[in-house]
Amino acid sequence: MKRVQILFLLSILSVTSWAQAQGTTVVWGKVTEASTGSPIPFANVVFKGTSIGATTDFEGYYKLSTTQRFDSIHFSYIGFVPKTKFIVAGKEQNINIQLEEDVVNLQELVFEAGENPAFQILRNIVDHKKVNDKRRLSAYEYEAYTKIEMDIDNISDKFKQRKIIQKVTSVLDSIEQIAGEDGKPVLPVFISEAISKYYYKDSPRMAHETVLNTKVTGVGVTDGTLTSQVIGASFQQYNFYQNWLNIVGKDFVSPISDGWKINYEYDLVDSLWLGDYYCYRLDFFPKREQDLAFRGSMWIHKDTWAIRQIDVTVGKEANVNFIEKIKIQQELVPTTESAWLPAKTRVMIDVSELTDRSAGFLAKFYVSNKDIVVNQPKPDKFYENPIEMVEDVNDRADDNEFWADIRHDTLSATEVHVYEMIDTLTKIPVIKTYTDIIQTGYTGYYKIGKFDIGSYSYFFGNNNIEGIRLGLGGRTNIDFSKKWELSANVAYGLKDEEWKYKFHVRRILSRSPWTEVKYMHQKEIDQIWLLNDDIDNANVFYAFSRFGTLIDPFLRQKNYFTFFTVLGRGLSQRVSYRQEYFKPLFDFEYYKDPYAETPTVRNNLSVAEVILDTRYARDEIFVINDNQRLSMGTIRWPAVNFRYTLGLSALGGDFTYHKFGLSIEKRQKMGIFGVGYLTLSGGYNFNNLPYPLLKAHIGNQTPFYFNFAYNMMDYFEFVTDKHVAFRWNHSFNGFLLNSIPAIKKLKWRLVGTVNVLYGGVGQKNYNLIPPTYDTNGSEIAPFFALGQWPYIEAGYGVENIFRFFRVDFIHRLTYTNRPGVNNFGIKFSYKFSL
């Protein structure tokens, strides 16, 4: 009996051992990129040699299980080197893997007979775009969670030898854990999180975002008003149903654009289930590698022909400067009204190092959307401010429990470590010094507590009137007040021994809608030909014009009061009152009344003006940078500016007059032909005025190119009292040059310009100037005006030479016989452009 019990026990143990040996194998983990540490969604994970497998989710996670015995698991994804890992059968095990990018370019596909099977799917996708595109909805809204991380990557040994880097060696020694197992080390410098509500409305097309909470940690960056706005969802909108996607300021053609067959090659790779959706997988790549197009994969839902998932990459071959790689991954979900909206979006931009003594830059963006509501539009007034913040937007930035509750996804261990590392970096003195220098170079001001010293453009000058000019200035910042801004600048000329100064006080009455008042008083030396509202006084062109010999200079004293308010979305109004006194520092006279029996000759000029400026830009986006309101540009619609100026002699001016001005500005996409920048403007003066009060059009006699000037026109060459002007600046991007084998690797880009000016001056305005004669008795014209023909100049050139320089060849096509003018010129310019 005892022997039977022992045999029974042994049999039970053997069965148990056999059952354990034959137990379930469970493998789970995460797949990431080796170079960036970013998750790889949609990657294939299979037990090697079988079809038993799965794809990673949007966060790169996977889980596989089987009762069969296998000794290895295989990971693969398009554009990456496959990798195999050994496993232990019958056990649960965690295997995280990093895949290296495959630097070998994919070969073009060749179809020998019949139509490419992917083409019919593409036609169905395009036919159903209007149904699946989120823009077909009358409205939608959702809660958005946005996470942004920026790192220094590609840290070379030579870069580590820099003195500033050596002082953070202790930090660098620990950063390898940021990238992970096979990854390269990165140095995090910024991370942010934001929770917001995003709203969209069609007819009219408007969007609004309310930023609810932000958490920002960065080297040289604080959670200020501007940061809190730009880290939200408004600047992370990617819609592949559009023909073109604007990324880093460039327009990339979508793989499902209406002209898909012109730009891309396609391959139908597979059909598979993604959750509850049966999908086709299509791989695609651009026909010309230098084009602004994507390479990647998309998963198309079989029943609706909608994009379920998409993964696209722009490589360094594309005609984009400084970019090693751009990667966008998106997962979309259907709404109750058929259209699909992004549920999760991840964007990675890898900026290459400029030299072997510098490092690269890595920016990673993640957006998660939930609680989607469709077709419940709000009143138009709700959308008037494209972006706004709640008052306590960053009050809970340090409340870790609060953020753990409201995040859509938990932070990874790496991201938690990023916060810790950045906090360590910001406490290193040399880091703070360098960030202060960079901020000063960018803004022109150096911050000292509640005050900013600058702008440095006022600190020094040298010209024939003032001699050496020394100056100093400053302003208050938001730490001083959120409602008041005070500013003052003072300068002294060693030759003319005159003080010049400017000060202003500004009061912000409301931030929503933005409303402010400002008073300014100024005494300064200027030039007649620079009395033009097309020039910003902070412009480099204006700063350079103050050196050397000044043309028709005068001493200007000015009092200026203005009231500005936003009346509605895209509509703003400015009302100003200006008093100015001009004392010419050159030979100038005019008649107060040329038709009097004994005309009185005057030298000085006084004006008193009321000015109304109205601007309408339907889809212009503004953000608030502390106490400043900054335009981020328009998207589709033109910007229209109207100005009316009323001169009043009753308030101390020498003349009563009426002036009207109108301008229309538009950025025009031209598909494969690039993008054009169009400006159409005009002005009319109804009364008689001496020429300093007329319109002096900006000439350019420097060797440099400026897009607001007539580059082959001399300084103060033409004056008008009525005019119409047309400007067209066009960048062809890689059009034509991308197709030339010897040129395309240089990434040069063609540019073209056309400037046309038509107008004139009435005889009564000529009569205001006393005649002067040369030694031969011939009358000298006090100024020049256009005749019956318009002034026309046209140019062509190449930009992106050595990634920074532009050369324009410009021809003057009319008024070519004027003495002293050049009819052809070569102009140079410097531009940092992606």
Side-chain angles (χ1 to χ4, degrees):
M1 183 68 179
K2 191 172 182 180
R3 176 181 291 182
V4 173
Q5 290 176 333
I6 292 173
L7 291 173
F8 179 75
L9 180 60
L10 290 174
S11 65
I12 292 295
L13 291 174
S14 65
V15 169
T16 303
S17 300
W18 177 86
Q20 289 178 342
Q22 299 298 318
T24 302
T25 302
V26 180
V27 186
W28 54 273
K30 187 175 184 179
V31 182
T32 57
E33 292 187 36
S35 60
T36 66
S38 300
I40 301 179
F42 328 135
N44 297 313
V45 186
V46 298
F47 291 110
K48 189 174 182 180
T50 75
S51 60
I52 302 173
T55 58
T56 56
D57 64 14
F58 196 79
E59 307 305 324
Y61 292 106
Y62 72 93
K63 185 175 183 180
L64 283 179
S65 63
T66 183
T67 57
Q68 301 182 43
R69 294 181 63 83
F70 301 110
D71 62 358
S72 59
I73 189 170
H74 187 70
F75 301 85
S76 63
Y77 188 62
I78 183 174
F80 289 83
V81 178
K83 184 176 284 189
T84 300
K85 283 282 187 179
F86 288 105
I87 60 175
V88 179
K91 291 187 176 182
E92 291 191 9
Q93 51 216 287
N94 172 223
I95 296 181
N96 297 322
I97 199 77
Q98 290 193 326
L99 298 182
E100 294 279 355
E101 188 174 6
D102 191 350
V103 296
V104 179
N105 291 328
L106 297 178
Q107 301 298 312
E108 293 188 1
L109 303 173
V110 178
F111 299 95
E112 296 181 354
E115 183 184 56
N116 182 345
F119 287 0
Q120 184 55 49
I121 297 176
L122 264 297
R123 282 192 285 269
N124 287 327
I125 296 171
V126 173
D127 289 343
H128 289 79
K129 280 171 64 173
K130 290 184 179 180
V131 177
N132 296 320
D133 189 350
K134 63 182 181 179
R135 292 175 297 173
R136 69 174 289 270
L137 300 170
S138 63
Y140 59 81
E141 61 186 77
Y142 50 75
E143 181 183 280
Y145 167 72
T146 308
K147 180 169 55 184
I148 301 174
E149 181 184 336
M150 298 185 182
D151 310 309
I152 296 175
D153 73 341
N154 293 332
I155 302 173
S156 66
D157 291 336
K158 289 186 178 181
F159 181 72
K160 289 182 180 181
Q161 293 171 6
R162 289 178 174 269
K163 290 182 178 180
I164 181 175
I165 300 301
Q166 290 177 353
K167 294 183 179 181
V168 295
T169 300
S170 59
V171 178
L172 286 174
D173 288 342
S174 66
I175 64 176
E176 295 194 10
Q177 57 186 299
I178 292 293
E181 174 195 346
D182 299 321
K184 301 174 183 178
V186 297
L187 178 64
V189 293
F190 176 89
I191 188 169
S192 71
E193 299 176 83
I195 294 288
S196 61
K197 288 284 289 183
Y198 185 84
Y199 305 85
Y200 170 88
K201 180 181 184 296
D202 193 36
S203 188
R205 188 172 295 176
M206 296 185 290
H208 170 80
E209 181 180 15
T210 301
V211 184
L212 304 174
N213 299 99
T214 60
K215 179 181 175 69
V216 177
T217 300
V219 176
V221 180
T222 59
D223 197 353
T225 55
L226 177 61
T227 309
S228 296
Q229 294 164 88
V230 299
I231 64 174
S234 292
F235 296 97
Q236 303 302 326
Q237 299 293 314
Y238 302 93
N239 184 2
F240 286 90
Y241 287 99
Q242 299 175 170
N243 287 331
W244 298 87
L245 285 80
N246 189 273
I247 307 169
V248 294
K250 298 290 184 181
D251 291 322
F252 292 80
V253 61
S254 170
I256 61 168
S257 68
D258 295 339
W260 54 272
K261 204 170 185 179
I262 299 174
N263 301 287
Y264 287 97
E265 299 283 5
Y266 299 86
D267 183 22
L268 175 59
V269 177
D270 197 4
S271 58
L272 69 164
W273 286 95
L274 291 178
D276 297 330
Y277 303 95
Y278 190 74
C279 299
Y280 299 111
R281 173 181 159 182
L282 297 177
D283 290 354
F284 49 87
F285 56 89
K287 289 189 173 182
R288 295 164 296 276
E289 62 181 9
Q290 276 78 22
D291 285 356
L292 299 184
F294 302 103
R295 179 190 301 273
S297 304
M298 56 184 169
W299 291 258
I300 305 300
H301 183 217
K302 179 179 178 294
D303 297 332
T304 63
W305 306 105
I307 300 175
R308 165 60 176 155
Q309 295 177 165
I310 188 166
D311 185 346
V312 301
T313 300
V314 177
K316 59 184 178 182
E317 301 84 7
N319 198 333
V320 185
N321 289 331
F322 315 112
I323 299 298
E324 192 78 19
K325 182 170 68 173
I326 299 173
K327 193 173 187 65
I328 303 175
Q329 299 161 326
Q330 196 169 73
E331 182 179 89
L332 296 93
V333 294
T335 65
T336 55
E337 301 297 328
S338 300
W340 293 58
L341 276 97
K344 295 181 179 181
T345 302
R346 183 180 290 107
V347 181
M348 188 275 296
I349 301 174
D350 190 357
V351 182
S352 61
E353 60 273 26
L354 297 180
T355 68
D356 60 358
R357 291 187 60 82
S358 64
F361 188 76
L362 191 66
K364 294 183 281 189
F365 308 85
Y366 171 77
V367 182
S368 171
N369 304 325
K370 71 176 186 179
D371 300 335
I372 297 172
V373 179
V374 299
N375 290 350
Q376 294 184 21
K378 299 185 181 299
D380 288 357
K381 188 174 179 60
F382 175 83
Y383 302 88
E384 283 186 356
N385 294 325
I387 304 174
E388 66 179 6
M389 303 169 296
V390 299
E391 190 69 25
D392 57 348
V393 65
N394 54 17
D395 284 359
R396 306 192 70 172
D398 298 325
D399 190 337
N400 293 329
E401 291 185 4
F402 171 78
W403 280 95
D405 289 337
I406 67 171
R407 288 187 184 105
H408 292 192
D409 306 282
T410 58
L411 292 181
S412 66
T414 298
E415 289 165 339
V416 172
H417 187 53
V418 166
Y419 272 112
E420 297 171 354
M421 287 195 62
I422 295 175
D423 184 61
T424 301
L425 282 172
T426 56
K427 296 176 181 178
I428 300 175
V430 69
I431 294 292
K432 186 178 186 307
T433 300
Y434 271 78
T435 54
D436 287 346
I437 292 172
I438 293 171
Q439 288 178 341
T440 301
Y442 177 73
T443 65
Y445 288 87
Y446 180 75
K447 184 178 180 181
I448 303 177
K450 299 179 180 181
F451 300 93
D452 300 336
I453 305 301
S455 164
Y456 54 70
S457 61
Y458 287 93
F459 289 171
F460 181 78
N462 188 4
N463 56 70
N464 64 311
I465 301 297
E466 299 173 283
I468 294 176
R469 169 188 168 121
L470 303 175
L472 185 66
R475 67 185 183 187
T476 61
N477 56 47
I478 194 171
D479 294 335
F480 175 83
S481 173
K482 292 184 177 180
K483 295 183 177 180
W484 291 94
E485 180 185 83
L486 308 176
S487 173
N489 296 88
V490 62
Y492 183 77
L494 300 183
K495 181 178 179 181
D496 65 353
E497 298 182 342
E498 286 276 354
W499 287 96
K500 294 88 181 175
Y501 51 82
K502 180 175 76 171
F503 68 85
H504 82 248
V505 55
R506 185 165 66 99
R507 174 73 157 89
I508 300 172
L509 302 177
S510 170
R511 290 177 177 259
S512 182
W514 189 272
T515 305
E516 67 177 40
V517 294
K518 176 181 177 180
Y519 171 74
M520 182 185 72
H521 178 69
Q522 181 183 32
K523 178 184 177 183
E524 186 58 270
I525 287 182
D526 260 315
Q527 302 173 73
I528 293 293
W529 67 280
L530 287 174
L531 289 176
N532 191 308
D533 294 320
D534 298 334
I535 298 181
D536 182 356
N537 286 355
N539 190 283
V540 174
F541 180 81
Y542 182 84
F544 281 150
S545 71
R546 307 184 68 84
F547 285 78
T549 300
L550 304 185
I551 299 175
D552 295 344
F554 62 91
L555 186 64
R556 178 189 205 181
Q557 295 189 57
K558 177 180 180 180
N559 287 293
Y560 180 76
F561 175 84
T562 184
F563 170 81
F564 173 86
T565 187
V566 175
L567 300 175
R569 183 180 178 90
L571 180 64
S572 62
Q573 181 65 57
R574 185 183 301 275
V575 181
S576 307
Y577 175 69
R578 179 167 62 191
Q579 283 185 325
E580 290 189 274
Y581 173 77
F582 303 91
K583 178 182 178 182
L585 303 178
F586 66 102
D587 188 14
F588 169 75
E589 292 180 332
Y590 72 96
Y591 292 129
K592 173 65 175 177
D593 181 3
Y595 306 106
E597 291 186 9
T598 307
T600 302
V601 177
R602 293 193 176 187
N603 177 270
N604 299 328
L605 281 169
S606 294
V607 299
E609 298 176 331
V610 175
I611 306 168
L612 304 178
D613 287 297
T614 305
R615 178 178 174 86
Y616 180 65
R618 178 173 172 177
D619 57 2
E620 188 170 21
I621 296 177
F622 284 90
V623 294
I624 308 303
N625 181 23
D626 293 343
N627 288 336
Q628 307 294 326
R629 182 172 179 263
L630 305 178
S631 172
M632 305 299 288
T634 58
I635 302 173
R636 297 173 57 242
W637 296 91
V640 181
N641 300 278
F642 172 77
R643 166 173 285 199
Y644 167 64
T645 303
L646 171 63
L648 295 168
S649 58
L651 295 179
D654 291 332
F655 298 91
T656 296
Y657 50 88
H658 303 270
K659 295 181 181 179
F660 291 91
L662 179 69
S663 70
I664 302 172
E665 306 161 359
K666 179 73 167 68
R667 180 182 183 269
Q668 183 62 50
K669 297 178 182 179
M670 302 288 287
I672 63 173
F673 300 105
V675 60
Y677 302 88
L678 166 71
T679 301
L680 181 64
S681 61
Y684 194 89
N685 172 40
F686 284 87
N687 303 94
N688 303 322
L689 296 172
Y691 66 85
L693 301 182
L694 302 180
K695 179 80 170 182
H697 299 278
I698 303 299
N700 178 19
Q701 292 177 243
T702 75
F704 305 106
Y705 174 84
F706 294 98
N707 59 7
F708 57 83
Y710 295 93
N711 285 281
M712 293 309 299
M713 184 186 292
D714 286 352
Y715 297 142
F716 199 61
E717 184 175 353
F718 292 114
V719 175
T720 63
D721 57 22
K722 50 187 174 295
H723 77 279
V724 175
F726 171 82
R727 295 181 179 277
W728 182 272
N729 258 288
H730 195 92
S731 177
F732 289 92
N733 292 327
F735 179 68
L736 291 181
L737 296 186
N738 276 359
S739 303
I740 303 175
I743 298 294
K744 64 181 182 180
K745 291 186 178 181
L746 298 174
K747 296 186 179 181
W748 288 359
R749 304 164 188 168
L750 291 176
V751 293
T753 60
V754 176
N755 292 326
V756 180
L757 173 64
Y758 180 73
V761 177
Q763 184 60 44
K764 291 184 178 180
N765 286 319
Y766 276 108
N767 295 338
L768 290 174
I769 307 301
T772 57
Y773 302 92
D774 61 18
T775 56
N776 297 322
S778 300
E779 186 174 350
I780 302 174
F783 58 90
F784 301 106
L786 294 165
Q788 61 177 335
W789 297 101
Y791 172 85
I792 304 175
E793 64 181 26
Y796 49 88
V798 177
E799 64 179 352
N800 209 43
I801 301 172
F802 302 117
R803 299 192 292 186
F804 288 101
F805 299 102
R806 168 172 169 165
V807 179
D808 284 83
F809 305 91
I810 305 175
H811 298 265
R812 178 169 171 150
L813 303 179
T814 56
Y815 300 93
T816 58
N817 296 323
R818 293 177 56 85
V821 301
N822 295 314
N823 297 323
F824 173 76
I826 301 176
K827 301 282 185 176
F828 303 90
S829 56
Y830 171 94
K831 182 180 180 183
F832 178 83
S833 172
L834 295 178

